[in-house]
Amino acid sequence: MTNQPSDKVLRLTTDPFFIDFEDGFGFIVSDGWIIADGGYNESDKAAQPDFGLGGIVNMTLVVDTIDGAYFSMFMDSDMNPQTGESLTIYNNGETVFVFPATTDGWQEVQGPGFVDPGRSTVIWSYDYGTAGAGNIKIDAITITPYFSDGFETGNFLQLPWIVDSGWVVDGSNPFKGDFSAHFPPNEGVALLESRNLTLPVTVDA
C-alpha cells in the first residue's frame, strides 16, 4: 500500500494538469492502489488496485479550481460485474461515473466527471466484490480547468492576462457585477494599430 501526505492539494488556474504515474502517485493519495508496469501508449507505469487486499480500495485527489474542471483518462479493464466488481468515480461524495466492465485494451474515457468550482475531492473507488481480480489499470489522467473572469477583482490579476496599454477595468459599464474590462473610446489608436487583451492558454497537457 502506498500512502501520500493527506494535505496534498492540486491547485489549477488555466493550464491542464497531466498525471501519468511515471514518478509515483504525485498529488493522488493511494489507499490500496499500486504503481504497475505497462501503462498507456508505451509508457512504463499505470495505477492498478493491489490484488492482495480485497474489499474497496481508493485513490483520492483534492483539487482547487476557480471555475471547475473537466477530467478524462485512459483505462484498460477486464472486470466481472457478476461478482460485484466495479470502479466508480465520486466527486464530493456524489457518483459521477461508473466505469465499463471491459475495454478492448487501452481506451480513452471521455467525460467521466467534472470538478466543482472551489475545492473538490475526487475518488476513484474500486470494489473487488466477491471475486474480483483487480484487472484494471488507469493512466494518462488529464484535468482541464474551466475559467472565467468577471474582473470583480477590479484589475487584470485574476488570470494571467497580457494587457496592451489603454485597456482598463472599472465600473463604468459592467454587464454583470460591479466591473468590466474595456478600451475607452477616448484612447487614441492609430490607423491599423491594435491594442490587445490576450489570455495565453496551454492546449497540450
Side-chain angles (χ1 to χ4, degrees), residues 11 21 27 79 90 94 120 136 175 202:
R11 293 179 174 85
F21 302 103
F27 282 94
M79 294 185 290
Y90 298 94
E94 299 291 331
S120 294
I136 181 170
F175 172 75
T202 299

Side-chain angles (χ1 to χ4, degrees), residues 68-136:
Y70 159 90
F71 58 91
S72 61
M73 69 200 70
F74 283 81
M75 67 179 295
D76 185 358
S77 172
D78 186 17
M79 294 185 290
N80 183 1
Q82 295 181 351
T83 66
E85 188 179 18
S86 65
L87 177 68
T88 305
I89 289 183
Y90 298 94
N91 179 22
N92 291 336
E94 299 291 331
T95 300
V96 295
F97 195 81
V98 179
F99 282 83
T102 60
T103 62
D104 184 14
W106 283 103
Q107 290 188 4
E108 185 176 13
V109 182
Q110 295 183 335
F114 299 90
V115 176
D116 297 327
R119 179 163 295 190
S120 294
T121 300
V122 180
I123 298 176
W124 288 260
S125 183
Y126 172 78
D127 189 340
Y128 280 90
T130 58
N135 292 327
I136 181 170

Side-chain angles (χ1 to χ4, degrees), residues 10 17-21 24-25 27-28 61 139-143:
L10 173 61
F17 190 82
F18 186 67
I19 301 172
D20 62 7
F21 302 103
F25 286 98
F27 282 94
I28 289 178
L61 177 65
D139 200 7
I141 300 172
T142 302
I143 306 171

Side-chain angles (χ1 to χ4, degrees), residues 37 46 59 96 162 203:
D37 293 329
M59 290 193 301
V96 295
I162 299 173
V203 295

Side-chain angles (χ1 to χ4, degrees), residues 4 86 89 111 118 137 199 205:
Q4 299 285 347
S86 65
I89 289 183
K137 291 181 180 179
L199 180 63

